[in-house]
Amino acid sequence: MDKIQLKTRSKTEFVDITSEINQIVQKRVIKEGICHVYVPHTTAAITINENADPSVKKDIVNELNKIVPWNDSYTHGEGNAAAHIKSTIVGSSASIPISDGKLTLGTWQGIYFCEFDGPRHREAFVQIIKSE
Amino acid sequence: MDKIQLKTRSKTEFVDITSEINQIVQKRVIKEGICHVYVPHTTAAITINENADPSVKKDIVNELNKIVPWNDSYTHGEGNAAAHIKSTIVGSSASIPISDGKLTLGTWQGIYFCEFDGPRHREAFVQIIKSE
Amino acid sequence: MDKIQLKTRSKTEFVDITSEINQIVQKRVIKEGICHVYVPHTTAAITINENADPSVKKDIVNELNKIVPWNDSYTHGEGNAAAHIKSTIVGSSASIPISDGKLTLGTWQGIYFCEFDGPRHREAFVQIIKSE
């Protein structure tokens, strides 16, 4: 298993980790399989979305903050209940097929680490699985 | 890796691709494993949900459109920010266990390609992974 | 493939199944890989979230019930459309990396079976995949 270390800078932030994942995939000599990217945190997530226009990232972050408001009579004492809820909605991992030795991301797809309670030091775990 | 081609017909639409996935699984002679279904698009998603009463599909589509309204002061220029957000909420892939050579879908489960910005020509990628 | 049987007790409820999954992982002698946990139900889901303060679980359940209200002019006749929608939002499976023979859950992470239309007898399927 490979690990990616990162440092987020804002409360809510999407960090593009596509090139780090690509490097890990290239190190392994696997022709067909899947690449599994996982966050070991309960106030973060992984998503795949547009890598071209940065306004998409901003719109997703803003809308998630609207759907799950930071203050909403939560009972969790640490004040970050909204971050936990967004983690469950977006999901703690993503899997991308590997074919002909490369990630099969679509033209406009990038892999994002989603910070919902930053800034913090964070990790993502990457496991490469071979197809038969 | 196998590819499924499809043509969606509406702005928002759930297309049942269970039989196409079943055919791909049957071609491979794998007893135990998982089947990973992935969309290489940023305004589409994959979900697993009820295959019996079509009203469920309609209710999911309508409620997602309510939770993420098509117009909501987004900044993304192409006018389809809501589709990107729904893609992140629903997720760009699904994995289903294979056991005794077959998908272990529950009695009422079907696999759906979720179109959030159609109509378009679309693809789904299918990767079969063997368990030990 | 392994199966976990459980009995939920409330309409909406998150049941911690981490120790059952850990037992399955320990039975197999796999050093590196992923563990895939799947629900064969259309009104349930799997999520990974905080295992320490039970108020987090409560906040997630309450907020999901607010985002997807139980009554909202749905058309599905069985009266559980909201449960189907929450299943699609949270997702029918989760995958966790296995490294050095163990699940790589973060310190505060537990694996939850999410019941959205209980109480019922339910199942979760567990498939272990070896990394190369």
Side-chain angles (χ1 to χ4, degrees):
Chain A
M1 194 180 72
D2 287 86
K3 293 187 183 185
I4 293 169
Q5 312 285 333
L6 65 160
K7 168 92 193 71
T8 59
R9 288 148 200 249
S10 315
K11 182 65 113 182
T12 316
E13 182 187 358
F14 279 27
V15 183
D16 189 334
I17 55 172
T18 314
S19 71
E20 286 87 343
I21 312 274
N22 261 324
Q23 280 169 36
I24 291 167
V25 172
Q26 278 158 22
K27 272 192 332 194
R28 314 291 193 90
V29 193
I30 281 181
K31 220 169 140 20
E32 298 290 317
I34 58 170
C35 171
H36 180 245
V37 186
Y38 179 84
V39 290
H41 311 291
T42 56
T43 53
I46 296 287
T47 196
I48 292 167
N49 218 302
E50 165 144 352
N51 61 358
D53 179 357
S55 69
V56 171
K57 231 163 65 166
K58 202 163 72 177
D59 287 340
I60 299 174
V61 164
N62 287 346
E63 195 69 10
L64 285 174
N65 285 339
K66 226 186 244 193
I67 295 168
V68 185
W70 194 260
N71 296 303
D72 201 12
S73 42
Y74 303 118
T75 62
H76 182 45
E78 288 173 53
N80 60 359
H84 287 286
I85 298 160
K86 284 182 273 187
S87 171
T88 275
I89 289 175
V90 175
S92 54
S93 70
S95 295
I96 306 101
I98 296 169
S99 191
D100 276 327
K102 287 183 301 200
L103 288 176
T104 63
L105 288 167
T107 320
W108 310 108
Q109 286 184 320
I111 306 165
Y112 290 94
F113 181 97
C114 310
E115 172 64 83
F116 294 128
D117 189 31
R120 292 188 192 227
H121 285 280
R122 298 290 205 176
E123 284 187 310
F125 297 161
V126 183
Q127 196 64 288
I128 308 289
I129 308 285
K130 220 183 349 188
S131 179
E132 62 138 16
Chain B
M1 194 179 74
D2 286 86
K3 293 186 183 186
I4 292 168
Q5 312 285 335
L6 64 161
K7 170 94 194 67
T8 59
R9 287 148 201 249
S10 315
K11 182 65 112 184
T12 316
E13 182 187 357
F14 279 28
V15 183
D16 190 334
I17 55 171
T18 314
S19 72
E20 285 88 343
I21 310 275
N22 261 324
Q23 279 170 35
I24 292 168
V25 171
Q26 278 159 24
K27 271 192 334 195
R28 314 289 192 93
V29 192
I30 282 181
K31 219 170 142 22
E32 298 289 318
I34 58 170
C35 170
H36 181 245
V37 185
Y38 179 84
V39 289
H41 310 290
T42 55
T43 53
I46 296 287
T47 196
I48 292 167
N49 218 303
E50 165 143 352
N51 60 358
D53 179 358
S55 69
V56 171
K57 230 164 64 167
K58 203 163 69 176
D59 287 340
I60 300 174
V61 164
N62 287 347
E63 195 68 10
L64 286 174
N65 285 339
K66 227 187 243 193
I67 296 168
V68 185
W70 194 259
N71 295 302
D72 201 11
S73 42
Y74 303 118
T75 61
H76 181 46
E78 288 172 54
N80 61 358
H84 288 285
I85 298 160
K86 284 182 273 187
S87 171
T88 276
I89 289 174
V90 175
S92 54
S93 69
S95 294
I96 306 101
I98 296 168
S99 191
D100 277 326
K102 287 183 299 200
L103 287 176
T104 63
L105 288 168
T107 321
W108 310 108
Q109 286 184 319
I111 306 165
Y112 290 94
F113 181 98
C114 311
E115 173 64 83
F116 295 126
D117 189 31
R120 293 188 192 227
H121 285 280
R122 297 291 206 175
E123 283 187 312
F125 297 162
V126 183
Q127 196 63 289
I128 308 289
I129 309 285
K130 220 186 344 192
S131 178
E132 62 139 14
Chain C
M1 194 179 72
D2 286 87
K3 293 186 184 186
I4 293 168
Q5 311 285 334
L6 65 160
K7 169 95 194 67
T8 59
R9 288 150 201 248
S10 314
K11 182 65 111 183
T12 316
E13 182 187 357
F14 279 28
V15 183
D16 190 335
I17 55 172
T18 314
S19 70
E20 285 87 343
I21 311 275
N22 262 324
Q23 280 170 35
I24 292 167
V25 172
Q26 278 158 25
K27 271 193 331 194
R28 314 291 191 93
V29 193
I30 282 181
K31 222 171 139 22
E32 298 289 318
I34 58 171
C35 170
H36 181 244
V37 186
Y38 179 84
V39 290
H41 311 291
T42 55
T43 53
I46 296 286
T47 196
I48 293 168
N49 218 302
E50 166 145 349
N51 61 357
D53 179 358
S55 69
V56 170
K57 232 163 64 167
K58 203 163 70 175
D59 287 340
I60 300 173
V61 164
N62 287 346
E63 194 68 11
L64 285 174
N65 285 339
K66 227 185 242 193
I67 295 167
V68 185
W70 195 260
N71 295 303
D72 201 12
S73 43
Y74 304 117
T75 62
H76 181 45
E78 287 172 56
N80 61 358
H84 287 285
I85 298 160
K86 284 182 274 187
S87 171
T88 276
I89 289 175
V90 175
S92 54
S93 69
S95 294
I96 306 101
I98 295 169
S99 191
D100 276 327
K102 287 183 300 202
L103 288 176
T104 63
L105 288 168
T107 321
W108 310 108
Q109 286 184 319
I111 306 165
Y112 290 94
F113 181 97
C114 310
E115 172 63 83
F116 295 127
D117 189 31
R120 292 186 192 228
H121 285 280
R122 298 290 206 176
E123 284 187 310
F125 297 162
V126 183
Q127 196 63 289
I128 308 288
I129 309 285
K130 221 186 344 191
S131 179
E132 62 138 15

